[in-house]
Amino acid sequence: MTQFCHVSNGIISRPQPLPSEWANVSNFNTNSIEFVASYNWYPFVPADKPAYTETTQKLVESMLFDGQQVNQVWTVVDLTPQEQAEFATARLTEIGNQVGPFLDQQVQVKQYDSILSATSWNLSNITVYKAKAEQATTYRDSVWEQFGNLVAGVQAGNTPLPTVDGWFATLPPLWHNGTSS
């Protein structure tokens, strides 16, 4: 569906479908491009986003009106050192916030509700449950240690900042299909 922008006093609206009514004109959206242009509505021409490195760059969007259409333009801009640090902090926070749900998911293959319920069996006298709890505890500690190492490495500039999914993909599963690893 073609989208249009309204241009008024140099201000370009966000792209949108033509309204069905405009300036007392019914079925405005069924009229020709030339007709709607007489009311300052012009076709929007989107542009593909260019490749960029999200850890050091950002995309800035602008809209340019050439008298006949509104063209979307993307510009790659380098992040300032402060913006890079803020991006890294936000990404690391996002990863850290997903560690708990990730651990919960890992123990669910053995029918535990959460990592907390799995590790709570550490004090059990039932050997099989205690063994699974010890595995879960060791795994939990390892994942959190790896996360701590990631944070330290990124902050020191020695480790590239991964994507959230990319970091979790580096972690082995705790148990495979209900069997011990």
Side-chain angles (χ1 to χ4, degrees), residues 33-178:
I33 290 176
E34 295 77 19
F35 179 82
V36 298
S38 69
Y39 287 88
N40 298 319
W41 283 92
Y42 300 93
F44 169 71
V45 180
D48 291 333
K49 291 181 180 180
Y52 72 105
T53 305
E54 68 178 356
T55 57
T56 59
Q57 299 171 318
K58 64 182 173 184
L59 291 180
V60 176
E61 177 190 35
S62 54
M63 305 286 206
L64 298 177
F65 177 55
D66 67 7
Q68 296 181 5
Q69 61 190 21
V70 175
N71 298 296
Q72 181 183 46
V73 177
W74 293 103
T75 306
V76 177
V77 177
D78 289 336
L79 295 175
T80 65
Q82 181 177 341
E83 288 173 323
Q84 289 181 35
E86 290 168 357
F87 181 87
T89 299
R91 172 67 57 81
L92 291 170
T93 299
E94 187 178 0
I95 293 171
N97 288 340
Q98 292 300 313
V99 170
F102 171 80
L103 291 170
D104 290 343
Q105 181 183 22
Q106 293 299 304
V107 298
Q108 287 172 357
V109 300
K110 294 286 189 181
Q111 308 306 311
Y112 292 103
D113 294 334
S114 66
I115 190 70
L116 181 61
S117 66
T119 59
S120 71
W121 288 90
N122 268 328
L123 301 176
S124 176
N125 291 324
I126 303 172
T127 307
V128 67
Y129 295 146
K130 183 174 182 140
K132 294 295 178 205
E134 288 172 355
Q135 290 172 346
T137 300
T138 300
Y139 185 78
R140 178 202 61 199
D141 293 352
S142 172
V143 169
W144 279 112
E145 182 177 29
Q146 289 177 63
F147 175 69
N149 291 340
L150 172 68
V151 171
V154 168
Q155 289 175 341
N158 301 326
T159 304
L161 183 64
T163 63
V164 175
D165 291 341
W167 186 75
F168 284 103
T170 67
L171 302 174
L174 170 56
W175 294 304
H176 297 280
N177 300 323

